[in-house]
């Protein structure tokens, strides 16, 4: 199971990012756990200055804006 954290204040882009990951995972049949992190201190603890940020299995893989669908697919297949 892949573990994702979506870092952000809970804005529309953050919600869209979490949904994109969830939808792609379902389409690919990949089991994921998605946690939304809204605490700014925790977000800054990952070194993310621009949201939404995405953490995959403990490593920041994206920050600032909604990730491209192909990029999400790569995270899920990698």
């Amino acid at each position: 199971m892949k573990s994702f954290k979506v870092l952000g204040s809970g804005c529309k882009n953050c919600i869209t990012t979490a949904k994109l990951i969830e939808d792609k995972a379902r389409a690919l049949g990949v089991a994921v756990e998605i946690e939304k992190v809204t605490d700014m201190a925790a977000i800054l603890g990952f070194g993310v200055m621009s949201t939404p940020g995405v953490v995959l299995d403990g490593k920041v893989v994206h920050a600032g804006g909604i990730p491209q669908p192909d990029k999400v697919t790569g995270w899920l297949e990698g």
Side-chain angles (χ1 to χ4, degrees):
M1 176 181 285
K2 294 183 180 275
S3 176
F4 286 91
K5 294 180 191 298
V6 176
L7 313 177
S9 63
C11 67
K12 184 176 180 181
N13 284 348
C14 301
I15 293 167
T16 300
T17 298
K19 184 171 182 347
L20 176 63
I21 294 168
E22 184 178 328
D23 289 349
K24 282 284 188 184
R26 186 177 306 118
L28 295 170
V30 177
V32 295
E33 174 184 69
I34 300 172
E35 177 185 353
K36 296 175 186 172
V37 178
T38 58
D39 180 70
M40 288 308 291
I43 293 169
L44 292 173
F46 282 102
V48 171
M49 304 300 284
S50 180
T51 61
V54 178
V55 175
L56 171 58
D57 294 333
K59 180 181 173 187
V60 176
V61 292
H62 178 81
I66 299 169
Q68 293 295 316
D70 290 347
K71 194 172 186 180
V72 175
T73 299
W75 298 335
L76 292 165
E77 292 178 338

